[in-house]
Amino acid sequence: MDAMSARPNQESAAPQPETTSPHRAGFACFVGRPNAGKSTLTNALVGQKVAITSNRPQTTRHTVRGIVHRDDAQLILVDTPGLHKPRTLLGERLNDVVRTTWAEVDVIGFCLPADQKLGPGDKYIVKELAGIRKTPKIAIITKTDLVDSKTLAEQLLAVSALGQELGFEWAEIVPVSAVGDQQVGLLADLIAPLLPESPPLYPEGDLTDEPEMVMVAELIREAALEGVRDELPHSIAVVVEEMLPREDRPADKPLLDIHANVYIERPSQKGIIIGPKGKRLKDVGTKSRKHIEALLGTPVYLDLHVKVAKDWQRDPKQLRKLGF
């Protein structure tokens, strides 16, 4: 059953003493143009790397949930791809994922970078948000470490005016810097009271409910994106074929074998990913293995192969095979 539809029956919660405020739990999602700092913010709030971050736009493909545990509330963050005008079938599917998510969450955070003027892309998203009447919406000005106070003030006024122009009021407008760790805690403080009263929906130690294989694939994909030419970010997909504990290992020295394929769209892209004498692919393996070991808490042997899936972004059969 989907976590969102599995909200426990309120009556089963332990009765709260009248002196304390009730515990709250619910779902929030960050929306905004691609590269507005949504994934970095998710990671900063959760305190551990759960969503793929890249300095290239349009890299998040899965709805990654990060879970923030507090004494008074549990906040489940749903990280969606950036909403944009679609040019491919993949683009259309990503937009559908975004709208479905908006309909199911308790709070929506609209992310706008402090160092970029409000553009047509932002207005397109806020206009869509204005149509979602019941859900509280918070405007989050991200990357505040990149601007001076005058520029920041102008951005706060611009986003406030945009809400009024479209006929709604933001529940809060908050400037944050996830990189500088400024006001990230305050953002969580402001979101918590907007969540429904509910006992925690996830066990204390959980940070995300994404299947491990999906998260491992995302970490490999993030490493593969680093330093490649501009034409490649949309062309890379990663599928983890299997994750198996190595047999005949002593209990105190486990090893996990992970076999994964990196898919690109054209044979000419293969050399870019593999690099001279296989150096780039080796670097991708080394970098992603460190993150995977940190995530899973066990040593890993990573076996990576690069394969061509011709024009996969435009082919419904290939999209299904690659998990979209």
Side-chain angles (χ1 to χ4, degrees), residues 89-261:
L89 182 61
L90 173 67
E92 283 172 32
R93 292 208 180 162
L94 291 176
N95 279 358
D96 290 343
V97 169
V98 176
R99 291 195 185 92
T100 307
T101 304
W102 291 3
E104 292 174 333
V105 297
D106 301 299
V107 180
I108 299 171
F110 167 66
C111 295
L112 177 70
D115 63 334
Q116 293 168 32
K117 285 260 188 287
L118 259 173
D122 300 306
K123 289 173 183 170
Y124 173 71
I125 293 167
V126 176
K127 201 171 174 184
E128 295 264 334
L129 285 180
I132 300 167
R133 292 278 169 214
K134 289 181 183 160
T135 314
K137 293 167 274 291
I138 292 181
I140 304 161
I141 309 298
T142 61
K143 309 185 185 185
T144 57
D145 52 302
L146 301 179
V147 298
D148 58 26
S149 54
K150 181 174 176 284
T151 309
L152 178 57
E154 284 166 2
Q155 196 74 316
L156 293 167
L157 288 169
V159 77
S160 173
L162 182 59
Q164 286 169 357
E165 189 187 311
L166 293 167
F168 74 92
E169 201 173 328
W170 299 103
E172 304 281 353
I173 300 176
V174 199
V176 302
S177 166
V179 175
D181 196 21
Q182 290 163 343
Q183 308 230 103
V184 174
L186 172 68
L187 177 61
D189 292 343
L190 294 172
I191 293 173
L194 299 172
L195 302 174
E197 290 181 19
S198 165
L201 304 175
Y202 286 87
E204 178 63 39
D206 287 9
L207 291 174
T208 174
D209 76 346
E210 273 291 289
E212 284 178 345
M213 281 171 91
V214 172
M215 292 190 68
V216 167
E218 286 287 81
L219 288 170
I220 295 168
R221 187 163 174 268
E222 179 177 21
L225 278 171
E226 267 180 41
V228 295
R229 289 186 213 155
D230 290 345
E231 73 267 21
L232 242 61
H234 299 283
S235 306
I236 298 173
V238 176
V239 175
V240 174
E241 299 296 338
E242 58 178 16
M243 284 173 41
L244 297 166
R246 177 83 57 94
E247 288 178 14
D248 309 326
R249 297 279 293 192
D252 58 342
K253 287 192 178 165
L255 184 67
L256 190 66
D257 285 318
I258 299 178
H259 301 276
N261 291 327

